[in-house]
Amino acid sequence: MIMAARVLVVEDDATMAEVLRAYLTRAGYQVEWTGDGSEAVQLWQRISPDVVILDIMLPGLSGLEVLRRRRRSGDHACVLVLSARGEEEDRLVGLETGADDYYVMGLFWRCRHGMRPRFQIIQHIGLCSHFALRSKARLLIGR
């Protein structure tokens, strides 16, 4: 039996979070959501997600601080930053902090306005979750 990958969406824009949750749930993922950085640290630790979609600008703690704390604790979940901050420096800081990829929010703007959505992130989540689940299976069977 194959387990569905767990995805944590950390996004303070409720509309954006709901769009992500709907697409990911429809694609077969287990999805949890929070819109607060401080709560994200606790939820991330509690549910041990395979993939995290992380906004940078959050109430409580910034997304970068959330990511720093989880990486310092040894967490290796695949992290995809989804942010309105798209300058090259922002992207570099996100990747250097430990994100696996960095997407600029404009990719999802069409979703919010009824146009055909882009599926790059969902495809990337599929790839990340595939490797995360394979790694967990290897740990369980000792290979």
Side-chain angles (χ1 to χ4, degrees):
M1 181 170 111
I2 298 176
M3 297 175 11
R6 287 181 310 273
V7 178
L8 173 59
V9 175
V10 183
E11 169 60 63
D12 63 332
D13 180 325
T15 303
M16 181 63 68
E18 190 51 44
V19 168
L20 288 167
R21 185 191 306 216
Y23 278 107
L24 293 168
T25 301
R26 200 169 323 143
Y29 299 100
Q30 296 176 12
V31 182
E32 295 285 338
W33 168 69
T34 182
D36 178 80
S38 300
E39 186 178 306
V41 172
Q42 296 169 359
L43 186 58
W44 190 338
Q45 182 175 0
R46 191 172 74 244
I47 69 168
S48 298
D50 301 299
V51 180
V52 178
I53 298 177
L54 182 64
D55 189 8
I56 297 297
M57 296 179 287
L58 298 167
L61 295 173
S62 75
L64 290 175
E65 183 57 29
V66 171
L67 181 56
R68 272 188 204 99
R69 290 181 184 195
R70 293 308 303 150
R71 290 301 193 224
R72 260 185 287 183
S73 74
D75 190 288
H76 298 292
C78 179
V79 177
L80 308 176
V81 170
L82 179 60
S83 178
R85 298 181 69 161
E87 296 298 319
E88 185 175 352
E89 182 177 336
D90 296 319
R91 293 177 191 192
L92 288 172
V93 169
L95 294 169
E96 288 172 354
T97 302
D100 294 285
D101 212 338
Y102 193 109
Y103 292 89
V104 178
M105 193 72 78
L107 290 173
F108 277 93
W109 187 250
R110 289 183 179 100
C111 286
R112 293 180 65 185
H113 295 287
M115 299 169 79
R116 182 180 170 96
R118 300 200 184 194
F119 295 99
Q120 275 185 311
I121 289 180
I122 293 173
Q123 290 171 345
H124 196 131
I125 289 170
L127 183 62
C128 290
S129 63
H130 170 76
F131 288 113
L133 293 175
R134 279 185 50 196
S135 296
K136 286 181 182 179
R138 283 190 188 124
L139 288 173
L140 290 174
I141 61 174
R143 290 187 185 170

